[in-house]
Amino acid sequence: MKIALVHFRAGFTDGVSLEMEKWKKVLEEMGHEVIYVAGEFDQAEGIEIPPLSMNDATNLWIHKNAFEKLSVDERTFQESFEAYAEKIEAELREKLSKLDLLIVNNIFSLGFNLAAAVALARFVREKNLKVIAHNHDFYWERERYSTPQCDYVKRILEEYFPPKDELILHVTINRLAQEELRRRKNIDSVVVPNVFDFNQPAWRIDEYNEDLRSALGIPENDLVVLHATRIVPRKAIEIAMDFVACLGEKVEKKVHFVLAGFPETESHEYYRKIVKKAESMPYETHFAFEKVRSERFVNDRKYYSLWDMYAICDVITYTSLLEGWGNQLIEAVFAKKPLVVFEYPVYKSDIAPLGFEFISLGDTAHYDENEGLYRVDVQRLDDAAQKLKELLCDAKRLSEIVEKNFQIGRTYLSLETLKLLLENILRQIDR
């Protein structure tokens, strides 16, 4: 088949973009022709349809009016919305032809580009195209979508997020989302967890990245704690920062905290808070995202891959309050590094039962009204830091744990697992 993977963006280091790369690889190995269709591209190529982007100026205006405050009357808003949806649909007609299947990532579920969902749904019905809606996140999981400003927006969310259509087979990435989609929309779905290529070469220090610590200003023998997620509020990076402060009190080495992910456009205020908090911490924080791309390359400057960041670190933190699954968690497992994790709901329901051995920060965080950030009980942080210190001092035990985690990941969350699931899904679509 000729298959299009559709998303707001492609080739970036966010979780959805990374997951699309894995689906593309597996589908191509199965013999299909796969292309990207997206609003913006970084380290990838495909068919560009700019108004699909989350960052399109018209979309940002629609989003602000839809969920923050209407700056015009509802009729004018609706007319602007429909014109934008028609523009997207016209580009879809112009640029997409002779496709057998669309795999739509988050556009039908998250709500950051409402008009894109409407345009895609209409395009699919017009062309009688088969669709897999790969729903990584849903709008009802995000606070920002909880205040639609008019009835028209409510109707759009009800009808298109996600659309119920016999042409569309829905995929969710965890059991909690599967159950909630059925409860809210009476839509059944297939669970496909996030996976990883466990057969690729291990991430090591090599000739390309051997200067990365130096480029970040980190001495060779210091301890590096990596936080690889994007800088957005639900990642609760502040919890990791407090943990690193506790760890720094217990270990003899100087500790560095490295942030490899980029701040999202809508998260400037949160980014500002993290920068401010970093200034007050008893260790150095390195905002490394300007050096990171999805792949290594050199033009006016040298860029490193996200995997290079894993290669140079000693410890990984993953303190999200909410995740659809957890790409960076699986990456830490592949990297064979100790992982410190906050037990978010999907971790507890879908991941912990697999038997991984991580250092836990528990499942309870409270919001500090003064800071506007989350905190975990200090004793919990201290206990976790002590466990990590002991593990770092016991090379044999550390090796046993990371190898055990790697084997669990390869068994349950590999590309081979994804291939089996996709074969079953494509059989369902062909019926």
Coordinates of all heavy atoms in Angstrom, one line a residue, residues 338-383:
P338 N 20.5 3.9 34.7 CA 19.5 3.8 35.8 C 18.5 4.9 35.6 O 18.8 6.1 35.2 CB 20.3 4.1 37.1 CG 21.6 4.7 36.6 CD 21.8 4.2 35.2
L339 N 17.2 4.6 35.9 CA 16.1 5.6 35.7 C 15.4 5.9 37.0 O 15.1 5.0 37.8 CB 15.1 5.0 34.7 CG 13.9 5.9 34.3 CD1 14.4 7.1 33.5 CD2 12.9 5.1 33.6
V340 N 15.2 7.2 37.2 CA 14.4 7.7 38.4 C 13.1 8.2 37.8 O 13.0 9.0 37.0 CB 15.2 8.8 39.1 CG1 14.4 9.3 40.3 CG2 16.6 8.4 39.5
V341 N 12.0 7.6 38.3 CA 10.7 7.8 37.7 C 9.6 8.2 38.7 O 9.6 7.7 39.8 CB 10.2 6.5 36.9 CG1 10.0 5.4 37.8 CG2 9.0 6.8 36.1
F342 N 8.8 9.2 38.3 CA 7.6 9.5 39.1 C 6.5 8.6 38.5 O 6.4 8.5 37.3 CB 7.2 11.0 38.9 CG 5.9 11.3 39.6 CD1 6.0 11.6 41.0 CD2 4.7 11.4 39.0 CE1 4.8 12.0 41.7 CE2 3.5 11.7 39.7 CZ 3.6 12.0 41.0
E343 N 5.7 7.9 39.3 CA 4.8 6.9 38.9 C 3.5 7.6 38.4 O 2.5 7.6 39.1 CB 4.5 5.9 40.0 CG 5.8 5.1 40.4 CD 5.5 4.0 41.3 OE1 4.4 3.5 41.3 OE2 6.4 3.6 42.0
Y344 N 3.5 8.0 37.2 CA 2.3 8.6 36.5 C 1.3 7.5 36.2 O 1.6 6.3 36.2 CB 2.7 9.4 35.3 CG 3.5 8.6 34.3 CD1 2.9 8.0 33.2 CD2 4.9 8.6 34.4 CE1 3.6 7.3 32.3 CE2 5.6 7.9 33.4 CZ 5.0 7.2 32.4 OH 5.7 6.5 31.5
P345 N 0.0 7.8 36.0 CA -1.0 6.8 35.9 C -0.8 5.7 34.9 O -0.9 4.5 35.2 CB -2.3 7.6 35.6 CG -2.1 8.9 36.2 CD -0.6 9.2 36.1
V346 N -0.3 6.0 33.7 CA -0.1 5.0 32.7 C 1.1 4.1 33.0 O 1.1 2.9 32.7 CB 0.0 5.6 31.3 CG1 0.5 4.6 30.3 CG2 -1.3 6.2 30.8
Y347 N 2.1 4.7 33.7 CA 3.2 3.9 34.2 C 2.7 2.8 35.1 O 3.1 1.6 35.0 CB 4.2 4.8 34.9 CG 5.3 4.0 35.6 CD1 6.4 3.5 34.9 CD2 5.2 3.6 37.0 CE1 7.4 2.8 35.5 CE2 6.1 2.9 37.6 CZ 7.2 2.4 36.9 OH 8.2 1.6 37.5
K348 N 1.8 3.2 36.0 CA 1.2 2.2 36.9 C 0.4 1.1 36.3 O 0.4 0.0 36.6 CB 0.5 2.9 38.0 CG 1.4 3.8 38.9 CD 0.5 4.7 39.9 CE -0.1 3.9 40.9 NZ -0.8 4.8 41.9
S349 N -0.4 1.6 35.3 CA -1.4 0.6 34.7 C -0.8 -0.3 33.6 O -1.1 -1.4 33.5 CB -2.5 1.4 34.0 OG -2.1 2.2 32.9
D350 N 0.2 0.3 32.8 CA 0.7 -0.5 31.6 C 2.1 -0.9 31.7 O 2.5 -1.8 31.1 CB 0.4 0.4 30.4 CG -1.0 0.5 30.0 OD1 -1.8 0.9 30.8 OD2 -1.3 0.1 28.8
I351 N 3.0 -0.1 32.4 CA 4.4 -0.3 32.3 C 5.0 -1.0 33.5 O 5.7 -2.0 33.4 CB 5.1 1.1 32.1 CG1 4.7 1.7 30.8 CG2 6.7 0.9 32.2 CD1 5.2 3.1 30.6
A352 N 4.6 -0.6 34.7 CA 5.1 -1.3 35.9 C 4.8 -2.8 35.9 O 5.7 -3.6 36.4 CB 4.5 -0.6 37.2
P353 N 3.6 -3.2 35.5 CA 3.4 -4.6 35.5 C 4.3 -5.5 34.6 O 4.4 -6.7 34.8 CB 1.9 -4.7 34.9 CG 1.3 -3.4 35.3 CD 2.4 -2.4 35.1
L354 N 5.1 -4.9 33.7 CA 6.0 -5.6 32.9 C 7.2 -6.1 33.7 O 7.9 -7.0 33.3 CB 6.5 -4.8 31.7 CG 5.4 -4.3 30.7 CD1 6.0 -3.4 29.6 CD2 4.6 -5.5 30.1
G355 N 7.5 -5.4 34.9 CA 8.5 -5.9 35.8 C 9.8 -5.2 35.8 O 10.8 -5.6 36.3
F356 N 9.8 -3.9 35.2 CA 11.0 -3.1 35.2 C 11.5 -2.8 36.7 O 10.6 -2.8 37.6 CB 10.8 -1.8 34.5 CG 10.6 -1.9 33.0 CD1 9.4 -1.7 32.4 CD2 11.7 -2.3 32.2 CE1 9.2 -1.8 31.0 CE2 11.5 -2.4 30.8 CZ 10.3 -2.2 30.2
E357 N 12.7 -2.5 36.8 CA 13.3 -2.1 38.1 C 13.9 -0.7 38.0 O 15.0 -0.5 37.5 CB 14.4 -3.1 38.6 CG 14.7 -3.0 40.0 CD 15.5 -4.2 40.6 OE1 15.5 -5.2 39.9 OE2 16.2 -4.0 41.6
F358 N 13.1 0.2 38.5 CA 13.5 1.6 38.5 C 13.5 2.2 39.9 O 13.0 1.5 40.8 CB 12.5 2.5 37.6 CG 12.3 2.1 36.2 CD1 11.1 2.0 35.6 CD2 13.4 1.7 35.4 CE1 10.9 1.6 34.3 CE2 13.3 1.3 34.1 CZ 12.0 1.3 33.6
I359 N 14.1 3.4 40.1 CA 14.0 4.0 41.4 C 12.8 5.0 41.3 O 12.7 5.8 40.5 CB 15.3 4.8 41.6 CG1 16.5 3.9 41.8 CG2 15.2 5.8 42.8 CD1 17.8 4.5 41.9
S360 N 11.9 4.8 42.3 CA 10.6 5.4 42.3 C 10.6 6.7 43.2 O 11.1 6.7 44.3 CB 9.5 4.5 42.7 OG 8.3 5.2 42.9
L361 N 9.9 7.7 42.7 CA 9.7 8.9 43.5 C 8.2 8.9 44.0 O 7.7 9.9 44.4 CB 9.9 10.2 42.6 CG 11.4 10.4 42.2 CD1 11.5 11.6 41.3 CD2 12.3 10.6 43.4
G362 N 7.6 7.7 43.9 CA 6.2 7.6 44.3 C 5.2 8.2 43.3 O 5.6 8.4 42.1
D363 N 4.0 8.3 43.7 CA 2.9 8.7 42.7 C 2.1 9.9 43.3 O 1.0 10.2 42.8 CB 1.9 7.6 42.5 CG 1.2 7.1 43.7 OD1 1.5 7.6 44.8 OD2 0.4 6.1 43.6
T364 N 2.7 10.7 44.2 CA 2.0 11.8 44.8 C 2.9 13.1 44.7 O 4.1 13.1 45.2 CB 1.7 11.5 46.3 OG1 0.9 10.3 46.4 CG2 0.9 12.7 46.9
A365 N 2.3 14.1 44.1 CA 3.0 15.4 44.0 C 2.0 16.5 44.4 O 0.8 16.3 44.1 CB 3.5 15.6 42.6
H366 N 2.5 17.5 45.0 CA 1.5 18.6 45.4 C 2.0 19.9 44.7 O 3.2 20.1 44.4 CB 1.4 18.8 46.9 CG 2.7 19.3 47.5 ND1 3.7 18.5 48.0 CD2 3.1 20.6 47.8 CE1 4.6 19.2 48.5 NE2 4.3 20.5 48.4
Y367 N 1.1 20.7 44.4 CA 1.3 22.0 43.6 C 1.7 23.1 44.6 O 0.9 23.4 45.5 CB 0.1 22.4 42.8 CG 0.3 23.5 41.9 CD1 1.1 23.4 40.8 CD2 -0.3 24.8 42.1 CE1 1.3 24.5 39.9 CE2 -0.1 25.8 41.2 CZ 0.7 25.7 40.1 OH 0.9 26.7 39.3
D368 N 2.8 23.7 44.4 CA 3.3 24.8 45.3 C 2.7 26.1 44.7 O 3.2 26.6 43.6 CB 4.8 24.8 45.3 CG 5.3 25.9 46.3 OD1 4.8 27.0 46.3 OD2 6.3 25.6 47.0
E369 N 1.8 26.7 45.3 CA 1.1 27.9 44.8 C 2.1 29.1 44.6 O 2.0 29.9 43.7 CB 0.0 28.4 45.7 CG -1.2 27.4 45.8 CD -2.0 27.4 44.5 OE1 -1.9 28.2 43.7 OE2 -2.9 26.5 44.4
N370 N 3.1 29.2 45.5 CA 4.0 30.3 45.4 C 4.9 30.2 44.2 O 5.2 31.2 43.5 CB 4.9 30.3 46.7 CG 4.0 30.7 47.9 OD1 3.1 31.5 47.9 ND2 4.3 30.0 49.1
E371 N 5.5 29.0 44.0 CA 6.4 28.8 42.9 C 5.6 28.5 41.6 O 6.1 28.8 40.5 CB 7.2 27.5 43.1 CG 8.5 27.8 43.9 CD 9.4 26.6 43.8 OE1 9.0 25.4 43.9 OE2 10.6 26.8 43.5
G372 N 4.4 28.0 41.7 CA 3.7 27.6 40.5 C 4.3 26.4 39.9 O 4.2 26.1 38.7
L373 N 4.9 25.5 40.7 CA 5.5 24.3 40.3 C 5.1 23.1 41.3 O 4.6 23.4 42.4 CB 7.1 24.5 40.3 CG 7.6 25.5 39.4 CD1 9.1 25.7 39.6 CD2 7.4 25.1 37.9
Y374 N 5.4 21.9 40.9 CA 5.1 20.7 41.7 C 6.3 20.3 42.6 O 7.4 20.6 42.2 CB 4.7 19.6 40.8 CG 3.3 19.7 40.3 CD1 3.0 20.4 39.1 CD2 2.2 19.2 41.0 CE1 1.7 20.6 38.6 CE2 0.9 19.4 40.5 CZ 0.7 20.0 39.3 OH -0.6 20.2 38.8
R375 N 5.9 19.7 43.7 CA 6.9 19.2 44.6 C 6.5 17.7 45.0 O 5.4 17.4 45.1 CB 7.0 20.0 45.8 CG 7.7 21.4 45.6 CD 7.9 22.1 46.9 NE 8.7 23.4 46.7 CZ 10.0 23.5 46.6 NH1 10.7 22.4 46.7 NH2 10.5 24.7 46.4
V376 N 7.6 17.0 45.3 CA 7.4 15.6 45.9 C 7.9 15.7 47.3 O 8.9 16.5 47.6 CB 8.1 14.6 45.1 CG1 8.3 13.3 45.8 CG2 7.4 14.3 43.8
D377 N 7.4 14.9 48.2 CA 7.8 14.9 49.6 C 9.3 14.8 49.7 O 9.9 13.9 49.1 CB 7.1 13.7 50.3 CG 7.5 13.6 51.8 OD1 7.1 14.5 52.6 OD2 8.3 12.7 52.1
V378 N 9.9 15.6 50.6 CA 11.4 15.7 50.7 C 12.0 14.3 51.1 O 13.0 13.9 50.6 CB 11.8 16.8 51.7 CG1 13.3 16.7 51.9 CG2 11.4 18.1 51.1
Q379 N 11.3 13.6 52.0 CA 11.8 12.3 52.5 C 11.8 11.3 51.3 O 12.7 10.5 51.2 CB 10.9 11.8 53.6 CG 11.5 10.5 54.3 CD 12.8 10.8 54.9 OE1 13.0 11.7 55.6 NE2 13.8 9.9 54.5
R380 N 10.8 11.4 50.4 CA 10.7 10.5 49.3 C 11.9 10.8 48.3 O 12.5 9.9 47.8 CB 9.4 10.8 48.5 CG 9.1 9.8 47.5 CD 8.8 8.4 48.1 NE 7.9 7.7 47.2 CZ 7.7 6.4 47.3 NH1 8.4 5.7 48.2 NH2 6.9 5.7 46.5
L381 N 12.2 12.1 48.1 CA 13.4 12.5 47.3 C 14.7 11.9 47.9 O 15.5 11.4 47.2 CB 13.4 14.0 47.1 CG 12.3 14.7 46.4 CD1 12.4 16.2 46.5 CD2 12.3 14.3 44.9
D382 N 14.8 12.1 49.2 CA 16.0 11.7 49.9 C 16.2 10.2 49.9 O 17.3 9.8 49.6 CB 15.9 12.2 51.4 CG 17.3 12.1 52.1 OD1 18.2 12.9 51.8 OD2 17.4 11.2 52.9
D383 N 15.1 9.5 50.1 CA 15.2 8.0 50.0 C 15.6 7.5 48.6 O 16.5 6.6 48.5 CB 13.9 7.4 50.4 CG 13.5 7.5 51.9 OD1 14.4 7.9 52.6 OD2 12.4 7.3 52.2

